């Protein structure tokens, strides 16, 4: 009998690709990590009562990270045939031989991660028609909610179903599966020649929890509240940051808590571990194990188990985020914060679900006695926020308050300062946590003084 030779053109599953690569690496004595994903997604946008865009996407691939002489070499392949995988392994090894060694570089067989169900039955049995229906219902509900709605600038539905695995030649093998459904809507409203836009969104892992009408009504309310805006004053004023707004600001400055940024001298927090850097009312946590978190995961991009990490504890800097390599160089252990932008990316350090813990002040009381500005949104963060220094100058929207009473919305203005001064100046923290779609959360907070630039 002749032995059957494997089909060299056959596309393997990511599980079979992992096994093939680890076997080849073992035969060659190469230290190798395999990071693989298989994902499908749906995106639907509606405009004018019709579907304006509909996308179905499916992709899979493997990312390789070889460790040769203390140096990392990367490659990836979306062709999962055996010859293509062998070429990817060759490339990873060659790239490692060209790279500089990194102190502390190592592959680790980590302990078991926490049990975390991020899949469930959320999209089971959900039809394409139902998904389209969400997008259409969002637009219809927003347009019908108020006569001042002139159009829905953009809105729609999207979901994702992702299966991933991480394995290495040290014996690590683990898999995960996640799915989500999200809806969003941003209506344009107009009155007396003034046009404003705002919006709202909902994220869930259970399709049946989506409520298009509620999200649309909330979006319209946010937009119409901005009508009648008047120019903002210029000067230094007490400020209340809305929870979602502060969450966006915190995510912009999350790199300063990265162990990699610290060792590269790109964080203003370098050398300050254990110091008081914020108000005693501030406790900042990153927690990848939240069941409903947008960026939850049982383990990080190296397979290290996830666990809550307190970065700032009652104002004191208590930890930095680390992956295996940065932790080794800092003389500590990984905090489970290795990040990777898919199988094409390289391993770095990044947050998951970052939030400022809620306080004891009722949210309605955070603005008590305020004569100043309530900031509800910021934009321009990529150009106007510098995590190396902590400085920011951002476009903002919000409301003017007198004696604790809201007077009127403000035309677009500028807020400027330093994030560490903001955190140090917090004198009230609300008791309700709000989340941004950047996977950060915060309650409303009051800050004693901040620079405002009006028109």
């Amino acid at each position: 009998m002749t032995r059957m030779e494997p089909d060299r053109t056959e596309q393997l599953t990511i599980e079979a690709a992992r096994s093939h690569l680890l076997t080849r690496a073992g035969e060659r004595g190469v230290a190798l990590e395999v990071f693989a994903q298989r994902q499908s997604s749906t995106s639907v946008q509606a405009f004018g009562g019709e579907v304006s865009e509909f996308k179905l996407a499916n992709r899979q691939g493997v990312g390789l990270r070889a460790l040769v002489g203390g140096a990392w070499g990367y490659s990836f392949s979306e062709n999962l045939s055996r010859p293509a995988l062998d070429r990817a392994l060759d490339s990873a090894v060659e790239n490692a031989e060209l790279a500089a060694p990194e102190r502390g570089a190592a592959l680790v067989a980590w302990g078991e991660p926490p049990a975390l169900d991020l899949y469930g039955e959320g999209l089971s049995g959900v039809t394409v028609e139902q998904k389209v229906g969400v997008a259409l219902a969002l637009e219809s509900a927003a347009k019908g909610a108020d006569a001042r709605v002139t159009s829905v600038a953009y809105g729609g539905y999207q979901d994702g179903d992702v299966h991933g695995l991480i394995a290495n030649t040290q014996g690590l093998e683990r898999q995960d599966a996640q799915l989500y459904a999200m809806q969003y809507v941003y209506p344009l409203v107009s009155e007396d020649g003034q046009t404003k836009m705002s919006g709202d969104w909902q994220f869930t892992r259970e399709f049946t929890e989506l409520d298009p009408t509620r999200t649309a009504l909330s979006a319209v309310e946010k937009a119409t509240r901005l009508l009648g805006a008047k120019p903002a004053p210029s000067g230094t004023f007490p400020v209340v940051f809305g929870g979602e707004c502060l969450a966006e600001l915190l995510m912009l400055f999350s790199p300063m808590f990265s162990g990699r940024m610290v060792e590269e001298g790109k964080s203003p927090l370098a050398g300050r571990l254990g110091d008081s850097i914020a108000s005693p009312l501030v406790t900042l946590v990153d927690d990848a194990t939240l069941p409903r978190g947008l960026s939850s995961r049982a383990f990080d991009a190296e397979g290290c188990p996830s666990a809550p990490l307190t970065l700032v504890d009652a104002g004191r800097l208590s930890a930095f985020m680390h992956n295996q390599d940065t932790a080794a160089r800092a003389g500590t252990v990984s905090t489970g914060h290795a990040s990777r932008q898919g199988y094409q990316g390289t391993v770095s350090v990044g947050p998951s679900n970052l939030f400022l813990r809620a306080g004891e002040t009722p949210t309605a009381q955070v603005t008590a006695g305020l004569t100043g500005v309530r900031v509800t949104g910021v934009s321009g963060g990529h150009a106007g926020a510098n995590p190396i220094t902590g400085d920011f100058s951002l476009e903002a929207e919000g409301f003017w308050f007198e004696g604790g009473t809201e007077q009127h919305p403000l035309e677009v203005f500028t807020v400027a300062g330093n994030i560490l001064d903001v955190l140090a100046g917090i004198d009230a923290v609300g008791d309700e946590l709000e989340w941004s779609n950047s996977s950060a959360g915060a309650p409303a907070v009051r800050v004693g003084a901040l620079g405002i630039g009006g028109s």
Side-chain angles (χ1 to χ4, degrees):
M1 293 182 63
T2 38
R3 186 169 65 89
M4 289 285 290
E5 292 293 330
D7 181 358
R8 303 287 288 173
T9 63
E10 176 191 4
Q11 291 294 304
L12 304 181
T13 64
I14 57 173
E15 293 82 5
R18 169 198 60 197
S19 298
H20 176 82
L21 287 165
L22 292 180
T23 297
R24 284 286 192 268
E27 292 169 352
R28 296 175 56 175
V30 172
L32 181 71
E33 175 186 84
V34 179
F35 179 98
Q37 288 182 332
R38 178 177 64 248
Q39 53 189 313
S40 61
S41 61
T42 307
S43 176
V44 188
Q45 293 186 12
F47 186 80
E50 298 181 350
V51 174
S52 59
E53 182 178 284
F54 181 87
K55 292 182 180 179
L56 287 174
N58 294 280
R59 64 182 305 194
Q60 65 177 4
V62 294
L64 288 71
R65 189 167 66 138
L67 183 60
V68 180
W72 292 114
Y74 289 86
S75 69
F76 73 91
S77 180
E78 293 178 336
N79 180 342
L80 300 190
S81 68
R82 291 176 177 84
L85 295 172
D86 290 342
R87 289 193 296 272
L89 177 57
D90 290 340
S91 295
V93 172
E94 291 167 4
N95 290 336
E97 290 171 343
L98 296 172
E102 296 185 29
R103 185 167 55 89
L107 294 173
V108 178
W110 304 100
E112 287 302 307
L116 194 60
D117 182 7
L118 303 175
Y119 200 81
E121 301 295 328
L123 294 175
S124 178
V126 178
T127 65
V128 169
E129 290 75 17
Q130 287 175 289
K131 299 175 183 182
V132 168
V134 169
L136 293 172
L138 281 166
E139 188 194 35
S140 176
K143 292 178 73 173
D146 194 295
R148 293 170 291 180
V149 177
T150 57
S151 68
V152 175
Y154 59 101
Y157 167 90
Q158 66 183 51
D159 63 33
D161 185 334
V162 183
H163 293 254
L165 62 84
I166 300 173
N168 65 36
T169 47
Q170 294 298 109
L172 176 79
E173 282 197 16
R174 54 192 40 153
Q175 302 184 59
D176 70 350
Q178 299 191 28
L179 59 76
Y180 73 90
M182 178 183 283
Q183 61 182 12
Y184 55 94
V185 61
Y186 288 79
L188 278 169
V189 298
S190 182
E191 186 176 49
D192 297 332
Q194 193 176 76
T195 299
K196 296 293 182 181
M197 183 180 74
S198 190
D200 207 351
W201 57 280
Q202 183 186 0
F203 170 92
T204 181
R205 300 191 191 278
E206 300 291 339
F207 180 87
T208 56
E209 292 182 352
L210 291 176
D211 189 339
T213 299
R214 181 177 179 180
T215 298
L217 292 177
S218 174
V220 171
E221 180 186 7
K222 288 182 177 181
T224 54
R225 286 192 66 210
L226 297 175
L227 291 169
K230 299 179 181 180
S234 294
T236 300
F237 303 95
V239 164
V240 168
F241 281 101
E244 190 171 355
C245 174
L246 179 61
E248 289 286 349
L249 203 56
L250 290 173
M251 188 54 75
L252 286 174
F253 288 99
S254 62
M256 67 171 53
F257 294 96
S258 159
R260 171 159 291 177
M261 295 290 279
V262 169
E263 73 176 3
E264 292 176 354
K266 297 178 179 179
S267 169
L269 300 178
R272 300 195 62 186
L273 203 60
D275 290 355
S276 177
I277 64 162
S279 161
L281 300 175
V282 171
T283 293
L284 187 64
V285 178
D286 189 87
D287 188 357
T289 67
L290 300 178
R292 290 179 173 267
L294 273 73
S295 297
S296 295
R297 46 175 168 68
F299 49 87
D300 71 4
E302 294 178 311
C304 181
S306 296
L309 177 69
T310 300
L311 298 166
V312 179
D313 188 1
R316 183 181 62 86
L317 179 62
S318 55
F320 291 117
M321 299 179 289
H322 283 290
N323 63 23
Q324 155 58 31
D325 291 7
T326 64
R329 291 191 288 271
T332 184
V333 295
S334 174
T335 59
H337 284 87
S339 67
R340 187 169 182 162
Q341 298 300 310
Y343 51 81
Q344 297 182 7
T346 58
V347 173
S348 187
V349 178
S352 58
N353 305 306
L354 179 71
F355 65 96
L356 193 152
R357 195 178 297 281
E360 299 180 355
T361 303
T363 298
Q365 294 300 309
V366 177
T367 55
L370 175 69
T371 295
V373 178
R374 182 173 184 267
V375 183
T376 56
V378 291
S379 60
H382 293 297
N386 186 343
I388 297 176
T389 63
D391 294 331
F392 63 88
S393 180
L394 303 168
E395 286 193 348
E397 64 181 28
F399 299 83
W400 179 255
F401 275 67
E402 290 276 0
T405 301
E406 183 182 310
Q407 299 298 305
H408 54 78
L410 297 170
E411 293 285 7
V412 173
F413 56 95
T414 300
V415 290
N418 185 282
I419 188 63
L420 294 179
D421 292 337
V422 169
L423 295 177
I426 291 175
D427 55 30
V429 177
D431 60 357
E432 297 178 12
L433 203 62
E434 298 178 35
W435 288 90
S436 75
N437 56 14
S438 63
S439 190
V445 303
R446 187 173 63 226
V447 180
L450 190 66
I452 302 294
S455 55

